[in-house]
Amino acid sequence: MGRASLLFSQCIVALTIFLVVVDHRELTKQIMIDTNTQKNVKSDSKVVNETEAVLTQERIRPPFLPDQVLEQYIQWHSERTLTDNNHRQYALIYYYCPNRAGNILHSMFNTAIWAIIHNRTILWKYDTDFSDPNTVHECQKILQRARWLPSWDEWAPRLNLTEPIPIEMDPLRIQEYQQYQTVVFPMIPDQMSRHKQFFRVDWRDDPMHKRNHRQYIMAMDDAAIRRTGRLYRYGIDYLLGMLFREFFTIHAPVSFQTEADDFTVALHSRHTVVGDDGSFITDETRCLETLLLNRTQSAKCIVYLMSDRPSTVHLLKEWLEDRNCTGVSNDDYASMASSPLLFRDEHGPNPGVGFIRDLALVSQARSALVGDPGRSSFMLLQEIVDYDRRIDDWRWGRDSPETIPFCQLPGRYGKGYNYGPGTPRFIAHWHNQLLEPVQVLQQYKSEHSDDALKKLENPSNQSYLIGYLPCSLEDDSIEEKLRSFLHDFLLAIATNRTLLVKYTNKTTICSRPAISVQEWLPSYDEWKESFPVRELSGNSLKPNRTSFTSLAKHELKTLLAKKNSSVITAPSELLDMLYKEGTNFLYGALLHESIQLRSTFETTLSPDPQGIRVLWYDTGDLHGHMTFILQETSRCLEPVLSNATDACQITFLQAQGDSDQVKVISNYFPTCTIIEVQAIMLPDLLQLSRDPTWSAFAGPREGLMTSVSSLLRESLVYQRREVIWKLGRFPPSVPDVLLCEY
Ligand SMILES: *[C@@H]1O[C@H](CO)[C@@H](O)[C@H](O)[C@H]1NC(C)=O
Ligand SMILES: *[C@@H]1O[C@H](CO)[C@@H](O)[C@H](O)[C@H]1NC(C)=O
Ligand SMILES: *[C@@H]1O[C@H](CO)[C@@H](O)[C@H](O)[C@H]1NC(C)=O
Ligand SMILES: *[C@@H]1O[C@H](CO)[C@@H](O)[C@H](O)[C@H]1NC(C)=O
Ligand SMILES: *[C@@H]1O[C@H](CO)[C@@H](O)[C@H](O)[C@H]1NC(C)=O
Ligand SMILES: *[C@@H]1O[C@H](CO)[C@@H](O)[C@H](O)[C@H]1NC(C)=O
Ligand SMILES: *[C@@H]1O[C@H](CO)[C@@H](O)[C@H](O)[C@H]1NC(C)=O
Ligand SMILES: *[C@@H]1O[C@H](CO)[C@@H](O)[C@H](O)[C@H]1NC(C)=O
Ligand SMILES: *[C@@H]1O[C@H](CO)[C@@H](O)[C@H](O)[C@H]1NC(C)=O
Ligand SMILES: *[C@@H]1O[C@H](CO)[C@@H](O)[C@H](O)[C@H]1NC(C)=O
Ligand SMILES: *[C@@H]1O[C@H](CO)[C@@H](O)[C@H](O)[C@H]1NC(C)=O
């Protein structure tokens, strides 16, 4: 929902007009009842006359009330005015950048407005959320903070400041709050979230947004109320735009500049679901069609574009070109990957610095705006444009219209949206049901993890199953043992037993496995001290340990049917759920949930991540059937390789290395780049298979000699389908991994 609701803007108008003349208790009444005042603030002579009076000697800052209040504030509170012993009051203001600038900067400015209203000195503190690693140095490079702003880290020790006290803006406690030297105003929940004692509001909650906050302001002294009225003289957008410009300077080259007479539109298009590649632009073009009607034939038409999806920008440029209008965006978009598989984050391929750079370019628009006011990122743009245009008009001696034309894009929120009949449905994965096998695994993890075990009063009552993992990477049968471990894991789920991991290489028990396990898995060695683990008697429940192949559903059922009657077995529905996405997916999921990989191998590959990527595993000896295999494989790969426009890349994994073979392969696939990877260890192989951008897998069929091939296939199938599910596009636009086995 847009913040600039009618009621709200009318309150501001009312506040502005009446603050100057009316006692504040009357004002409270006025604010509650006055919903019809549509009076143009510009025509209020009292305010205009006061503007003249407030004017300071130098005309550097525009003669507008909000700017004057800020000027006064800076005179009182800039770093220069701080001395080592003083009795002033402070407010601690947090921020970081450039990630999530929309939310974080709104929170910063909203708390800064509170500080100005309270006449407290702002002390900034740079503090990222744990998930956002941007350093203050990186932030300064793109968004430089104004020098007048003093820092908490520097001044708190010098001034011997006490710990800041979070305050809740309770009108009845204003007197109490006044005694605190340093306060923390309410901020958004996801900043400094580790500080549970801080009070929380939404990013939209500037001091005049919520009724109880307005009541708080009305209960303050007259000077504070007056400051508030002046700050909000042109509305909250102007105020926030002013704070942006006064607190920060964007360091980014602006490649395209407009002339004053140009018809310039700013368009911000945001998509929340990762799988939405931004190729549906009907909402945008509908808005532009209407807005462009207003351009005069003589004026040059410019639409500044910013989006989290490069496709949106490219498609809109084409659309605009046909309409005698120029779409302008930062150059970055040209080289950006457009497949959601590659960026894997809802903010698209160019968030953070890219967003700030876009803001610098797109905020030059003056004629109209397109975007979703429910988005803090769009609102930053709108606020900056609102401030800048009035300042420009003042500089050029022109009248500023009260508002500029705006067209709202529909909200595209994670809980689900589409683009009309016949278009796919988009839903963010956290609003969607997990795939069925994953549901079962999550349930199992919650009941049988190390943590769950610690919470049990009598762990010895629990039933267990021991899964063995090899100790050494040199172990010849490492793949076989890993396969056997996955069988054990599956059996543990099917019999509702807790899987305990034991590391062994037949002769020796070791303390660390060759391949590390996920942290949730309890270790046999740790738990055997606490209670005697009763291992399953006999091998009645164990599958054939020499088998390299995965257990199909009917095989598992047969195995369970032979069970010892004291063993609980899972209901048939649970087994159906486990196998719902197929055996490959199931074993891939078991592998993913149990084995942790710390290999960084992947980073040395992928010269062209946008190309079609094929992973080819072979032991280095195609057994003399090379021609046949190549023919079969090439036929199989046709669907992914048919597009000559897409770059193609085959990563050939071979244990021994045989360059003749690679030469023959490249002759068969002349449009593809062949990347050879030789003699790599199992963890690195598995790491490679965790990349969901592989479009196809080629390798020998499941069998005695091919256990690695099977593990790779299962892992690829799982990773790809899991990521497709996470993309949240239904039906998906990305196909499953193509399997070409010979
Ligand atoms: C300012 O106030 C004076 C009288 O107080 C009035 O004559 C004048 O027109 C006002 N100026 C504006 C710009 O409204
Ligand atoms: C605001 O605070 C500054 C610094 O503490 C002080 O010098 C100034 O007098 C205060 N102004 C008002 C109106 O209280
Ligand atoms: C800071 O406070 C401590 C204890 O409250 C006091 O001992 C010290 O003298 C103070 N320092 C300054 C510079 O005021
Ligand atoms: C066209 O311009 C007029 C005057 O500037 C404005 O009132 C109107 O809202 C604009 N219409 C559109 C669709 O932008
Ligand atoms: C395109 O715009 C230019 C001015 O930028 C104008 O001279 C020309 O007539 C326009 N063409 C069409 C087809 O509207
Ligand atoms: C769990 O074990 C304790 C003693 O180890 C025993 O007294 C209790 O009856 C057992 N509970 C169940 C449900 O088997
Ligand atoms: C499976 O085991 C867990 C942990 O012992 C237990 O809480 C849960 O009720 C069991 N589920 C079934 C279906 O027996
Ligand atoms: C088993 O592991 C131990 C310790 O890691 C090692 O010394 C021993 O050689 C291994 N034995 C075999 C048969 O791999
Ligand atoms: C185990 O697998 C081997 C090789 O596939 C086979 O020869 C043997 O019969 C199997 N044993 C059982 C009990 O299934
Ligand atoms: C069944 O399990 C019990 C206890 O776990 C064991 O004593 C018995 O020998 C088992 N029976 C078979 C046929 O494995
Ligand atoms: C091939 O490329 C064209 C244009 O890039 C695209 O429209 C088409 O969907 C692609 N076909 C396949 C099978 O990827």
Side-chain angles (χ1 to χ4, degrees):
M1 296 304 102
R3 180 191 47 208
S5 69
L6 253 188
L7 174 67
F8 172 62
S9 54
Q10 284 160 2
C11 283
I12 301 302
V13 171
L15 181 64
T16 315
I17 295 167
F18 289 100
L19 275 178
V20 186
V21 284
V22 187
D23 170 83
H24 74 261
R25 259 164 290 277
E26 280 230 48
L27 175 67
T28 316
K29 252 186 283 161
Q30 200 67 44
I31 279 190
M32 295 312 153
I33 54 173
D34 189 346
T35 53
N36 293 319
T37 314
Q38 271 291 4
K39 199 170 170 189
N40 185 344
V41 278
K42 284 190 68 127
S43 66
D44 189 85
S45 62
K46 291 204 172 64
V47 173
V48 174
N49 263 352
E50 197 199 19
T51 304
E52 302 302 325
V54 174
L55 260 183
T56 48
Q57 311 80 336
E58 41 187 3
R59 266 187 165 263
I60 299 168
R61 246 167 253 280
F64 300 143
L65 284 172
D67 302 76
Q68 296 299 320
V69 171
L70 189 67
E71 168 133 2
Q72 175 69 86
Y73 179 84
I74 295 172
Q75 279 170 14
W76 280 336
H77 300 277
S78 73
E79 178 148 31
R80 277 187 299 135
T81 67
L82 295 185
T83 51
D84 281 358
N85 52 353
N86 63 55
H87 301 288
R88 64 171 76 214
Q89 293 185 309
Y90 305 88
L92 182 50
I93 307 287
Y94 293 95
Y95 87 107
Y96 66 85
C97 90
N99 285 3
R100 305 193 55 234
N103 280 350
I104 299 301
L105 296 185
H106 273 96
S107 189
M108 180 195 199
F109 298 147
N110 290 338
T111 49
I113 299 170
W114 275 125
I116 297 170
I117 293 174
H118 283 82
N119 197 35
R120 283 178 176 272
T121 302
I122 290 173
L123 294 175
W124 61 267
K125 182 166 172 60
Y126 191 87
D127 203 308
T128 66
D129 188 23
F130 45 86
S131 58
D132 278 309
N134 303 136
T135 63
V136 68
H137 177 67
E138 288 167 85
C139 178
Q140 284 285 82
K141 273 199 296 198
I142 181 74
L143 209 53
Q144 190 185 4
R145 199 183 41 253
R147 287 186 207 285
W148 63 268
L149 285 161
S151 112
W152 164 265
D153 291 341
E154 188 185 337
W155 285 94
R158 277 178 73 175
L159 299 169
N160 224 5
L161 298 186
T162 53
E163 273 304 293
I165 300 181
I167 62 172
E168 200 185 2
M169 322 316 296
D170 176 353
L172 300 176
R173 295 172 65 188
I174 289 182
Q175 309 293 330
E176 176 198 331
Y177 298 158
Q178 274 167 5
Q179 292 155 22
Y180 302 145
Q181 186 183 43
T182 310
V183 298
V184 176
F185 294 113
M187 65 182 74
I188 56 172
D190 40 348
Q191 195 177 4
M192 307 299 293
S193 51
R194 58 191 184 275
H195 288 266
K196 302 280 179 253
Q197 76 276 22
F198 288 180
F199 294 99
R200 303 299 177 173
V201 289
D202 194 77
W203 66 266
R204 297 173 184 78
D205 290 329
D206 70 87
M208 285 294 283
H209 189 231
K210 290 172 91 167
R211 170 185 285 231
N212 61 330
H213 288 168
R214 292 197 293 272
Q215 283 167 345
Y216 177 94
I217 293 170
M218 294 319 150
M220 292 179 78
D221 58 64
D222 288 354
I225 296 175
R226 183 176 292 257
R227 265 196 297 280
T228 311
R230 291 177 181 172
L231 281 172
Y232 281 85
R233 173 66 171 78
Y234 300 111
I236 180 61
D237 289 351
Y238 180 92
L239 172 53
L240 291 170
M242 175 183 81
L243 292 180
F244 187 97
R245 289 300 191 205
E246 295 287 348
F247 279 29
F248 294 109
T249 308
I250 300 180
H251 285 292
V254 170
S255 54
F256 190 99
Q257 265 144 11
T258 43
E259 316 276 314
D261 291 335
D262 294 347
F263 184 82
T264 51
V265 180
L267 182 143
H268 172 272
S269 170
R270 176 93 169 81
H271 311 74
T272 14
V273 176
V274 186
D276 184 351
D277 69 358
S279 55
F280 294 95
I281 55 164
T282 46
D283 296 329
E284 284 80 359
T285 54
R286 180 184 45 75
C287 271
L288 289 174
E289 239 152 26
T290 317
L291 292 172
L292 294 186
L293 293 176
N294 249 6
R295 66 174 153 165
T296 55
Q297 276 309 317
S298 60
K300 209 158 73 179
C301 169
I302 313 284
V303 178
Y304 288 105
L305 302 165
M306 65 192 285
S307 176
D308 46 10
R309 301 292 184 267
S311 304
T312 308
V313 170
H314 300 321
L315 292 168
L316 283 173
K317 277 187 182 171
E318 280 171 25
W319 186 89
L320 286 163
E321 205 173 331
D322 294 342
R323 283 153 188 84
N324 206 8
C325 195
T326 312
V328 174
S329 71
N330 264 322
D331 301 337
D332 313 342
Y333 287 94
S335 58
M336 260 184 249
S338 56
S339 165
L341 262 184
L342 293 168
F343 50 79
R344 281 183 252 168
D345 171 57
E346 61 156 291
H347 289 95
N350 197 24
V353 172
F355 171 76
I356 306 287
R357 289 163 57 103
D358 281 352
L359 211 50
L361 178 76
V362 176
S363 62
Q364 296 180 91
R366 295 290 177 266
S367 311
L369 291 166
V370 182
D372 172 11
R375 293 274 163 215
S376 58
S377 45
F378 170 71
M379 289 311 292
L380 270 188
L381 171 65
Q382 173 164 322
E383 289 147 11
I384 295 171
V385 170
D386 197 52
Y387 178 72
D388 287 358
R389 74 180 175 97
R390 285 187 197 259
I391 301 303
D392 281 1
D393 288 341
W394 165 68
R395 290 224 172 88
W396 294 96
R398 294 182 305 221
D399 275 347
S400 279
E402 266 315 297
T403 57
I404 63 175
F406 164 67
C407 181
Q408 178 165 353
L409 294 177
R412 297 164 185 149
Y413 296 100
K415 56 185 188 289
Y417 62 89
N418 68 11
Y419 291 92
T423 61
R425 178 168 169 73
F426 296 98
I427 176 165
H429 64 87
W430 56 89
H431 284 288
N432 204 0
Q433 272 213 319
L434 297 174
L435 292 171
E436 290 184 21
V438 180
Q439 284 175 34
V440 178
L441 278 162
Q442 296 302 335
Q443 174 74 15
Y444 179 83
K445 278 168 71 177
S446 70
E447 290 176 352
H448 297 277
S449 66
D450 199 52
D451 285 344
L453 218 49
K454 282 180 186 137
K455 289 187 189 125
L456 290 178
E457 273 180 37
N458 289 303
S460 56
N461 286 0
Q462 196 92 340
S463 300
Y464 298 92
L465 195 144
I466 297 178
Y468 295 90
L469 273 177
C471 294
S472 161
L473 283 178
E474 262 79 74
D475 193 330
D476 288 343
S477 55
I478 182 168
E479 301 103 52
E480 186 190 347
K481 284 175 180 151
L482 183 54
R483 170 68 60 193
S484 174
F485 174 79
L486 298 179
H487 292 323
D488 290 337
F489 187 9
L490 179 58
L491 275 169
I493 296 167
T495 57
N496 200 27
R497 285 168 177 264
T498 301
L499 183 69
L500 293 177
V501 187
K502 192 169 173 176
Y503 314 132
T504 175
N505 64 358
K506 280 206 179 82
T507 51
T508 327
I509 304 287
C510 62
S511 56
R512 263 159 41 90
I515 310 176
S516 45
V517 293
Q518 300 283 10
E519 274 164 16
W520 67 271
L521 275 167
S523 134
Y524 170 80
D525 287 325
E526 273 170 37
W527 284 96
K528 71 167 185 230
E529 313 292 334
S530 327
F531 57 89
V533 175
R534 286 172 289 122
E535 284 193 47
L536 275 181
S537 64
N539 268 350
S540 64
L541 264 181
K542 300 272 178 190
N544 191 338
R545 282 194 155 276
T546 63
S547 166
F548 287 121
T549 57
S550 41
L551 284 175
K553 184 159 71 175
H554 67 90
E555 292 173 301
L556 179 63
K557 281 185 169 166
T558 313
L559 206 61
L560 291 170
K562 287 194 274 176
K563 72 182 166 111
N564 189 322
S565 60
S566 65
V567 175
I568 307 160
T569 59
S572 167
E573 304 91 77
L574 187 110
L575 295 185
D576 291 343
M577 283 178 79
L578 272 173
Y579 281 90
K580 188 66 179 262
E581 302 288 327
T583 310
N584 284 329
F585 182 91
L586 172 58
Y587 272 77
L590 293 170
L591 184 66
H592 182 84
E593 293 294 356
S594 59
I595 302 299
Q596 194 175 28
L597 298 170
R598 292 203 194 85
S599 162
T600 51
F601 193 77
E602 184 188 18
T603 55
T604 63
L605 286 178
S606 62
D608 183 3
Q610 300 218 49
I612 297 296
R613 302 182 72 211
V614 178
L615 187 66
W616 192 324
Y617 177 81
D618 199 89
T619 49
D621 174 10
L622 297 174
H623 293 299
H625 302 336
M626 183 134 65
T627 312
F628 171 75
I629 288 170
L630 287 173
Q631 275 169 1
E632 289 298 295
T633 307
S634 126
R635 210 194 328 268
C636 173
L637 290 179
E638 254 168 35
V640 293
L641 300 184
S642 61
N643 241 344
T645 54
D646 291 322
C648 148
Q649 173 198 314
I650 295 177
T651 299
F652 191 71
L653 305 172
Q654 55 177 359
Q656 279 98 42
D658 177 344
S659 55
D660 282 349
Q661 196 164 293
V662 170
K663 271 191 210 120
V664 179
I665 294 178
S666 23
N667 286 341
Y668 249 89
F669 302 96
T671 59
C672 299
T673 317
I674 311 287
I675 297 167
E676 277 181 88
V677 179
Q678 286 170 7
I680 65 170
M681 301 291 238
L682 186 64
D684 290 337
L685 285 170
L686 293 179
Q687 178 70 39
L688 275 181
S689 71
R690 290 200 169 174
D691 178 348
T693 65
W694 298 113
S695 311
F697 173 68
R701 239 171 252 294
E702 193 160 73
L704 272 181
M705 298 297 295
T706 63
S707 51
V708 173
S709 180
S710 290
L711 286 170
L712 290 177
R713 179 193 60 234
E714 288 159 359
S715 182
L716 288 165
V717 166
Y718 165 77
Q719 298 292 342
R720 178 95 163 182
R721 196 170 305 164
E722 180 67 3
V723 163
I724 291 172
W725 171 82
K726 274 210 178 113
L727 292 179
R729 176 178 169 139
F730 302 95
S733 60
V734 179
D736 278 337
V737 72
L738 178 72
L739 300 176
C740 295
E741 292 175 302
Y742 43 82

